[in-house]
Amino acid sequence: SVLHGWVLTRHAPFDRDITIGAEMWVNFSLDDGGKYKLRGIIDRLSRTPDGVHHINDYKTSGHLPGQEDVDNDRQLALYQIGVQQKWPGIKDIKLVWHYLAFDCALESTRPPEKLAALAGDTIRLIDEIESTIDFPPRESGLCDWCEYTDLCPNRRHFYTVEALPANEYLNET
């Protein structure tokens, strides 16, 4: 692989497929009645000379997942539902994750029955979320990025303790 300007020339002459769209919005419904609508952005939709469409997603992660992980990934499979709703004639689709740090692409396919099961599972998840009235906090690695820790029942004690006088602060458990 040789860098030419900012372009990695290993893939030159870049004619393995035709780009249909990049950063392409896809709006679609999971049900016939249109109650369960989703929207996403496909990094790149392309078509190979033999007519196979690729839903491409470009990842900058330093973690390379296994095949089982991509075979169970929901994001690109949901995009496939959207693409096939927009263009019903498209039948042959590959889901492709490009892990740039590893110069590696992982591929997966979803048959119609898997897409139907995914739509059903996602509808059930939406119903569960919408019917939930209690959202208990769950601590994770993302908590350090949160701007609302002073309001969080799990983390606001740091702010309460920090405001105490030193002699009380040091005795606080």
Side-chain angles (χ1 to χ4, degrees):
S1 296
V2 177
L3 285 176
H4 178 70
W6 290 102
V7 180
L8 188 62
T9 59
R10 180 173 67 82
H11 296 286
F14 306 104
D15 61 356
R16 292 184 187 153
D17 59 8
I18 297 167
T19 297
I20 295 168
E23 294 185 5
M24 186 176 78
W25 286 92
V26 60
N27 298 299
F28 58 99
S29 182
L30 295 174
D31 66 320
D32 293 335
K35 178 181 176 186
Y36 300 92
K37 296 179 181 178
L38 295 178
R39 177 172 67 172
I41 302 174
I42 297 173
D43 287 350
R44 186 170 74 97
L45 179 64
S46 62
R47 185 183 70 239
T48 61
D50 60 354
V52 177
H53 286 77
H54 289 189
I55 297 174
N56 298 279
D57 197 46
Y58 295 88
K59 301 292 189 187
T60 58
S61 172
H63 166 74
L64 182 65
Q67 186 65 44
E68 184 177 352
D69 296 320
V70 296
D71 285 341
N72 292 313
D73 183 272
R74 292 185 287 187
Q75 178 189 359
L76 298 191
L78 287 168
Y79 291 170
Q80 179 176 345
I81 293 171
V83 166
Q84 289 180 310
Q85 276 183 20
K86 187 170 184 168
W87 295 291
I90 295 177
K91 301 295 183 204
D92 198 1
I93 294 180
K94 278 189 183 176
L95 310 177
V96 186
W97 293 261
H98 301 271
Y99 283 86
L100 303 177
F102 299 93
D103 194 19
C104 175
L106 299 174
E107 296 181 355
S108 184
T109 58
R110 298 295 192 287
E113 61 274 6
K114 286 249 185 188
L115 294 175
L118 173 62
D121 290 344
T122 305
I123 287 170
R124 280 188 289 284
L125 181 58
I126 290 169
D127 286 341
E128 179 183 331
I129 291 168
E130 288 183 345
S131 68
T132 299
I133 56 173
D134 184 32
F135 294 93
R138 295 185 195 154
E139 289 195 57
S140 75
L142 299 175
C143 290
D144 291 337
W145 293 73
C146 182
E147 297 180 18
Y148 301 101
T149 52
D150 59 327
L151 302 174
C152 176
N154 286 2
R155 302 199 116 211
R156 68 175 166 227
H157 62 280
F158 293 119
Y159 291 91
T160 306
V161 171
E162 189 175 61
L164 294 173
N167 59 341
E168 290 180 43
Y169 173 88
L170 295 172
N171 292 325
E172 182 61 47
T173 59

